Amino acid sequence: MPQQQLGLGVAITGCGSAVPSTALDNEGLSQVVETSDEWISSRTGILRRRLADPQTPLRAIAATAAQQALEMAGITPLDVDLIILATSTPDDLFGTASQIQASLGASSAVAFDLTAACSGFVFGLVTASQFIRTGAYSTVLLIGADILSRWVDWSDRRTCVLFGDGAGAVVLQAHTSDRLLGFELRSDGSQNELLNLAYQPEPKALTDTVTIGQGTFHPITMNGQEVYRFAVKRVPEVIEKALFRANLTVNQVDWLLLHQANQRILDAVAQRLSIPSHKVLSNMADHGNTSAASIPLALDEAVRQGKIQPGDVIASAGFGAGLTWGAAIFQWGR
Ligand code: UT7
């Protein structure tokens, strides 16, 4: 049965985004590590990225993006039933969504974090939709936000040039027809070592017989070439699967909205799917890879620029650590 026939309908009725004010361009980065604007721009398409200052918590940019999304949807924080924060860089490992709930004044909403790295927004979109389709909640605020600059090894030129900080948000509401047309989510933990930000325990003896591990999270490590290969192979597959579930063909896609990891990945995926470049949304040049924020940030920019119009069919896909990857096909607006 096509996925849109299950339960109640979901519409994405608002979006918003926020990035830190400080920008670092490739020229500036070449003062940090041995690199060049030529290498970064030709290999990734990135020209600059925004970086959060030490005083800016994740919840601050997340809340700003959320407020914009609520405004566009024409609702107040009190209308929100559920807040999902997709992030890998919370202010608090116990979760940051509740702090956003408090700062927004969304006192009726239950709030929790969801971690699926750069796939977090797509996983969150599908998760949020299930609560609406079952009738459990009618209004969900989904935020994708990350401050990976806090977890990058700034001496590793293979990774530090890629990432930027930011937040994006959408409002999902119950609707008579279902705008989430199809999805496909995947995980493969056997390849976890290709990209991680792992906790490294240091043994600490509490008594003669009891030793626990107390350490820290170590900065991001990535096998770039393998992750690149994985993305170019797996992302078209899940998009095709999700389109099949939506009963749509590639020609009916108005916009390809991929996780903004590398312009070459966007181009290769579009080429494999025969989607022309004018349908590919990219804000990589200005923001780099903002992890869970990258899809809603690019969505928000394209909506506010008037590119995406109500009813447009968007094929979105996230991919990254876990490994995780997934696609969601949705129509923008009510
Ligand atoms: O959001 C999570 C998902 N992440 C991704 O999707 C990332 C996927 N991977 C990629 O986007 C690409 O693999 C990278 C952009 C990370 C790297 O591009 P690449 O074309 O695969 O480069 P490479 O790793 O094969 O490195 C080529 C050369 C190496 O030099 P040698 O060994 O050939 O002499 C690197 O040492 O480029 C060198 N290099 C650099 N040179 C200048 C690596 N990083 C840099 C740098 N500046 N920043």
Side-chain angles (χ1 to χ4, degrees):
M1 181 165 47
Q3 285 172 350
Q4 70 266 31
Q5 285 176 21
L6 297 169
L8 303 168
V10 180
I12 302 179
T13 56
C15 59
S17 63
V19 290
S21 53
T22 304
L24 181 67
D25 65 13
N26 293 344
E27 230 25 86
L29 247 189
S30 60
Q31 295 165 30
V32 182
V33 284
E34 197 184 326
T35 190
S36 64
D37 177 47
E38 201 284 325
W39 192 95
I40 302 170
S41 56
S42 64
R43 299 273 178 148
T44 70
I46 300 166
L47 301 180
R48 60 192 77 83
R49 70 286 294 143
R50 300 298 186 95
L51 301 177
D53 64 42
Q55 286 77 39
T56 302
L58 182 83
R59 60 183 179 276
I61 55 171
T64 303
Q67 271 156 346
Q68 290 179 11
L70 294 173
E71 252 167 56
M72 190 186 283
I75 59 171
T76 74
L78 287 172
D79 297 318
V80 178
D81 302 313
L82 168 66
I83 298 172
I84 300 176
L85 171 66
T87 190
S88 306
T89 55
D91 298 327
D92 181 337
L93 271 186
F94 285 150
T96 296
S98 327
Q99 290 169 282
I100 296 169
Q101 179 244 22
S103 72
L104 291 174
S107 50
S108 313
V110 62
F112 62 83
D113 291 19
L114 178 155
T115 304
C118 303
S119 308
F121 181 80
V122 170
F123 281 37
L125 193 69
V126 173
T127 304
S129 299
Q130 306 316 306
F131 283 101
I132 294 176
R133 285 173 165 181
T134 58
Y137 297 127
S138 60
T139 303
V140 184
L141 174 62
L142 168 65
I143 307 162
D146 268 310
I147 300 186
L148 276 177
S149 62
R150 291 180 181 160
W151 296 103
V152 158
D153 177 351
W154 285 101
S155 65
D156 178 8
R157 69 177 183 173
R158 290 165 306 150
T159 52
C160 75
V161 301
L162 304 172
F163 298 101
D165 303 332
V170 295
V171 171
L172 296 99
Q173 291 184 274
H175 197 261
T176 45
S177 69
D178 203 339
R179 308 296 193 196
L180 177 63
L181 307 173
F183 66 85
E184 173 74 7
L185 306 181
R186 303 298 303 272
S187 301
D188 181 3
S190 71
Q191 297 194 77
N192 179 266
E193 79 291 345
L194 293 184
L195 176 53
N196 56 40
L197 201 181
Y199 178 74
Q200 308 271 344
E202 301 276 346
K204 179 180 167 73
L206 294 184
T207 70
D208 288 347
T209 53
V210 178
T211 299
I212 50 103
Q214 241 186 9
T216 55
F217 288 90
H218 280 212
I220 295 171
T221 61
M222 180 174 73
N223 181 331
Q225 287 184 2
E226 285 302 319
V227 175
Y228 186 97
R229 269 195 277 275
F230 143 77
V232 168
K233 184 166 190 304
R234 297 295 177 201
V235 172
E237 286 173 6
V238 282
I239 291 175
E240 279 174 340
K241 191 88 182 257
L243 281 170
F244 175 76
R245 293 226 166 103
N247 204 15
L248 292 175
T249 66
V250 168
N251 292 338
Q252 290 167 289
V253 171
D254 294 303
W255 301 105
L256 182 65
L257 176 51
L258 300 183
H259 166 51
Q260 307 282 300
N262 186 327
Q263 186 63 43
R264 284 158 53 213
I265 295 178
L266 268 59
D267 295 343
V269 170
Q271 198 183 9
R272 285 197 183 198
L273 292 168
S274 302
I275 293 179
S277 58
H278 69 268
K279 290 186 174 182
V280 180
L281 294 169
S282 173
N283 64 5
M284 195 107 52
D286 290 329
H287 297 293
N289 177 347
T290 56
S291 194
S294 85
I295 293 175
L297 182 57
L299 174 76
D300 184 53
E301 289 187 355
V303 167
R304 286 174 198 274
Q305 287 162 5
K307 282 187 185 167
I308 296 178
Q309 293 293 319
D312 281 0
V313 173
I314 300 169
S316 65
F319 53 91
L323 298 178
T324 55
W325 65 107
I329 315 296
F330 62 91
Q331 264 180 308
W332 168 251
R334 284 193 167 83

